[in-house]
C-alpha cells in the first residue's frame, strides 16, 4: 500500500485503535519506505505514559527493520481524555525529532485517540496540498514533459499550481506580516 495522504494514515491507525467497542491503549508506529510504501504497523509499547520523548529508545528500536529500510514514520496513542498540552502536537514532534536516535527518519505526525475522537498533527488530505510536505514522493505519475511545473499545461501540474496558489493566499491571509514574501 502506498501512503498518499494523511487520510491513509488515519484510516490504518483508526482500524487499530477503534477495533470493536474498546479503544486500544499504548503507543503504535507506522513505518514507510522512501516511496511512502507501508512497511509495517506495530505496537511500540502497551503502556503510553509520560512524554513521547520518554519512549524514544523504544521508537528507535521499532523503526529498525532488517527486511525493509524505513524512511518515514507516524505515531499513534490513546488516552482517556486529551490533555490541553497534547494540543501542541507539532511542538512535541519537533522535540522528538531532535533526538539523535531518530535523525535517519522523518516523522509525518502523531495522532492521539480518546473516546470522543482524536487530535492529530498529520495532514488529512494529500501531502502535496500542504506546505512543508512538498518534498514527499507523489504516488500519481502523469507522463510529461514537466520541464517547469509553472509552465506545464498537463492536468496534474495545472491542479498543483491552483492548489499551491490557493494555499499561499490562505497562508498570507492568516499571517498579514507574511504578505509579499515568497513562500
Amino acid at each position: 500500500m502506498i501512503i498518499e495522504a494523511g487520510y491513509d494514515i488515519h484510516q490504518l491507525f483508526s482500524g487499530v485503535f477503534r477495533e470493536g467497542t474498546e479503544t486500544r491503549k499504548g503507543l503504535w508506529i507506522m513505518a514507510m519506505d522512501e516511496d511512502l510504501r507501508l512497511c509495517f504497523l506495530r505496537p511500540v509499547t502497551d503502556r503510553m505514559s509520560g512524554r513521547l520523548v520518554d519512549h524514544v529508545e523504544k521508537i528507535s528500536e521499532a523503526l529498525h527493520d532488517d527486511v525493509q529500510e524505513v524512511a518515514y514514520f507516524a505515531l499513534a496513542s490513546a488516552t482517556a481524555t486529551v490533555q490541553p498540552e497534547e494540543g501542541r502536537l507539532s511542538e512535541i514532534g519537533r522535540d522528538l525529532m531532535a533526538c539523535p536516535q531518530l535523525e535517519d527518519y522523518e516523522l509525518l505526525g502523531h495522532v492521539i485517540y480518546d473516546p470522543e475522537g482524536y487530535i492529530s498533527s498529520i495532514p488529512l488530505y494529500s501531502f502535496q496540498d500542504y506546505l512543508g510536505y512538498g518534498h514527499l514522493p507523489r504516488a500519481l505519475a502523469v507522463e510529461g514533459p514537466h520541464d517547469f511545473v509553472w509552465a506545464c499545461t498537463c492536468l496534474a501540474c495545472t491542479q498543483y499550481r491552483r492548489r499551491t496558489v490557493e494555499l499561499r493566499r490562505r497562508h498570507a491571509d492568516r499571517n498579514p506580516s507574511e504578505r509579499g514574501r515568497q513562500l
Side-chain angles (χ1 to χ4, degrees):
M1 172 179 192
I2 296 175
I3 306 297
E4 292 185 80
Y7 179 80
D8 298 329
I9 294 172
H10 287 286
Q11 191 172 16
L12 290 167
F13 274 143
S14 181
V16 168
F17 282 92
R18 303 281 188 209
E19 188 175 49
T21 58
E22 189 176 307
T23 301
R24 285 198 182 162
K25 302 292 183 222
L27 177 65
W28 283 65
I29 191 165
M30 180 184 305
M32 292 141 276
D33 68 8
E34 65 184 15
D35 294 319
L36 289 176
R37 288 183 300 236
L38 180 64
C39 295
F40 56 81
L41 175 63
R42 63 172 68 136
V44 173
T45 178
D46 59 353
R47 286 263 187 225
M48 178 61 190
S49 58
R51 301 172 316 144
L52 202 52
V53 294
D54 296 340
H55 299 279
V56 72
E57 291 297 326
K58 289 183 180 183
I59 293 169
S60 178
E61 288 172 19
L63 285 169
H64 180 73
D65 191 288
D66 293 328
V67 178
Q68 298 166 315
E69 195 164 323
V70 174
Y72 305 100
F73 71 102
L75 297 168
S77 56
T79 183
T81 57
V82 174
Q83 302 300 316
E85 64 272 4
E86 291 169 341
R88 299 187 314 265
L89 289 178
S90 58
E91 292 174 23
I92 294 169
R94 280 193 298 274
D95 293 346
L96 183 66
M97 291 314 297
C99 299
Q101 300 94 317
L102 301 176
E103 67 184 11
D104 294 334
Y105 311 101
E106 182 175 344
L107 176 66
L108 296 180
H110 182 208
V111 186
I112 300 175
Y113 292 92
D114 72 7
E116 301 295 317
Y118 67 89
I119 62 170
S120 172
S121 64
I122 300 170
L124 187 55
Y125 302 108
S126 174
F127 293 124
Q128 71 184 18
D129 294 339
Y130 291 85
L131 294 174
Y133 291 89
H135 66 287
L136 295 178
R138 293 172 71 180
L140 174 66
V142 177
E143 209 166 313
H146 301 279
D147 296 330
F148 188 64
V149 74
W150 295 104
C152 184
T153 58
C154 80
L155 177 62
C157 290
T158 301
Q159 289 175 336
Y160 177 77
R161 273 194 311 275
R162 285 182 188 150
R163 283 191 220 116
T164 302
V165 167
E166 178 61 22
L167 284 171
R168 287 179 177 172
R169 186 192 59 75
R170 284 188 209 157
H171 180 76
D173 288 347
R174 278 185 269 140
N175 302 301
S177 64
E178 298 283 326
R179 277 198 191 114
R181 273 185 62 197
Q182 190 64 270
L183 298 177

